[in-house]
Amino acid sequence: MTLLSEARRQRRVAWKLRHLDQVDSTQAEARRLIAAGEAEGWAIVAAQQSAGRGRLSRAWLSPPGNLYVSLILRPPLPLAGWPQFASMAALAVAETLDRLQVAGVALKWPNDVLVAGRKIAGVLSESVSDYLVIGIGLNVNADVPPDLPDATSLKLVLGHAVDLPSLLQALLGRLDNLLEDLDRGESLTERWAARLQTLGRSVRVQSGERTIVGVAERVTADGALVVRLTGGVEEVFHAADVTLNPGSV
Ligand code: BTN
C-alpha cells in the first residue's frame, strides 16, 4: 500500500497544520502558540530545527529530510491519564511504519520506536498549563550520523527516499484514528505494551544518578515501568533511561 492510498483510506485529517521551514524547536513554537491563546488541534511541522529537544534534556539532531512535528492537545482527563497520549503517539508511528511494510517495528519503553533494534523515532511529551504538547521526531531521509550506530532511518530500512508530506498525512491520520479509539473509551495501554520489546527482559535503568539492574516486569495502567530488582523488590519508574542488558534474551 502506498502512503497516499493509506492517507486517503483514513478519515480526513482534522489537524490545523502550521508548516515552518526553520524553527528552534516545534515544542517551543507550540508553547508560543499556547501563550498567544491558541487552542488545541495544532500540528506544528518544521523542515528543520536549530534547537530540537529530546527526552531527559538531550538534543535532537534535526537536519532537513526528517519529520519534526509537535501536536497540541487538551486532554479531557486528570493529569495521571496524560501519559497514554505519548504512548498513543509512539503507537501511531509504529502503526504507520507497519502499513509501509517496514519489518521489525517495536517500541522501547517509554516511547522510542525501533526498527530491527535501532531507534527510528522518539516522542517528547510536555505539559504546558492545560495543554499537552506531544513532539514526534522520525528519521526519514537524512543520513544517519556514523556516531549514532543505534539509530536508523526509513530511507535506510526501505532502501529509498520517502515523500515527507504523504508520510505526515498518514501519521496524522493514524493519530486521528487512535484519538477516536481513546474517545470511545478504549485503552491503548495494552496495544502499546504488547509492542514493548523491553518487557520480560533484563534491563539497566538510569534514573537521575542511580543505575538499577533488574527485569522489566510490566507496565502500570498509567504507563510506568515496573522493574523487579535482584531479591524480588519491585520499583516503579515514570521517567528513566532504559537499556537492555547486553546478553539478555
Ligand atoms: C526522544 O528523546 O526520543 C524524543 C525526541 C523528540 C523529538 C521531537 S522532533 C519534534 C519535537 N520538537 C522537538 O524539539 N522535539 C520533538
Side-chain angles (χ1 to χ4, degrees), residues 60 66 97 102 113-121 138-145 148-158:
W60 186 261
N66 294 337
L97 300 186
V102 174
V113 184
L114 311 182
V115 173
R118 296 208 161 116
K119 181 161 172 173
I120 198 163
L138 172 58
N139 299 338
V140 185
N141 296 322
D143 289 341
V144 176
L148 294 177
D150 295 333
T152 191
S153 70
L154 257 183
K155 188 175 164 187
L156 269 181
V157 297
L158 291 175

Side-chain angles (χ1 to χ4, degrees), residues 151-175:
T152 191
S153 70
L154 257 183
K155 188 175 164 187
L156 269 181
V157 297
L158 291 175
H160 57 80
V162 173
D163 180 61
L164 279 178
S166 308
L167 181 63
L168 175 68
Q169 288 303 308
L171 176 61
L172 294 178
R174 272 321 301 153
L175 282 158

Side-chain angles (χ1 to χ4, degrees), residues 23-47:
V23 72
D24 48 357
S25 155
T26 54
Q27 295 291 107
E29 181 66 15
R31 282 176 187 270
R32 289 189 283 268
L33 283 179
I34 291 168
E38 294 288 348
E40 64 173 305
W42 280 103
I44 303 142
V45 187

Side-chain angles (χ1 to χ4, degrees), residues 25-27 49 51-55 60 68-70 112 119 122-124 135-137:
S25 155
T26 54
Q27 295 291 107
Q49 303 181 114
R53 294 191 282 110
R55 287 178 63 242
W60 186 261
Y68 312 108
V69 56
S70 292
D112 286 354
K119 181 161 172 173
V123 174
L124 174 67
I136 302 171

Side-chain angles (χ1 to χ4, degrees), residues 55-56 58 107-112 114 117 119 150 196-208 210-219 223-227 235-246 248:
R55 287 178 63 242
L56 308 171
R58 295 190 179 124
L107 302 179
K108 179 165 97 66
W109 188 90
N111 288 309
D112 286 354
L114 311 182
K119 181 161 172 173
D150 295 333
L196 278 177
Q197 50 108 278
T198 322
L199 296 186
R201 313 277 291 268
S202 170
V203 291
R204 181 176 298 269
V205 182
Q206 187 76 46
S207 175
R210 293 175 68 215
T211 304
I212 297 107
V213 174
V215 174
E217 287 277 301
R218 62 181 186 282
V219 284
L225 184 70
V226 181
V227 177
E235 200 161 331
V236 181
F237 295 93
H238 290 270
D241 207 16
V242 175
T243 46
L244 293 181
N245 251 340
S248 76

